Amino acid sequence: MKKMPKRDTTGKCQGECRDRVFEGEQERQNKINKMSMSYSSPAEKSPEWTHKRNDPPGSMGGRV
């Protein structure tokens, strides 16, 4: 790259300059909000497996 893009040095953009990271975050948040789940209080009881932290990585399946 011989020239640094102007938007990187001046903040002014020429052509299409979208903030895809921010747009993606907004899209994912909108999807979550549409699910209409209620998280007003913590779970009544934690799952039993969360109390055992001595298990080796991958003991519940998947890759390590």
Side-chain angles (χ1 to χ4, degrees), residues 3-4 15-16 19 50-52 54-57 60 62:
K3 283 185 162 183
M4 181 68 73
E16 182 181 354
D19 187 351
T50 62
H51 299 288
K52 300 174 187 173
N54 294 329
D55 293 340
M60 298 185 73

Side-chain angles (χ1 to χ4, degrees), residues 3-26:
K3 283 185 162 183
M4 181 68 73
K6 286 186 179 182
R7 93 179 149 181
D8 292 343
T9 57
T10 64
K12 295 181 181 176
C13 184
Q14 293 177 339
E16 182 181 354
C17 295
R18 294 169 54 190
D19 187 351
R20 284 300 300 148
V21 172
F22 179 72
E23 289 175 15
E25 289 173 358
Q26 291 297 103

Side-chain angles (χ1 to χ4, degrees), residues 28-41:
R28 286 186 290 281
Q29 189 61 51
N30 288 337
K31 238 185 226 184
I32 291 169
N33 292 343
K34 285 180 183 177
M35 288 182 185
S36 69
M37 293 247 179
S38 176
Y39 298 106
S40 59
S41 63

Side-chain angles (χ1 to χ4, degrees), residues 46-64:
S46 295
E48 187 62 35
W49 59 268
T50 62
H51 299 288
K52 300 174 187 173
R53 298 292 183 194
N54 294 329
D55 293 340
S59 63
M60 298 185 73
R63 297 183 187 181
V64 179

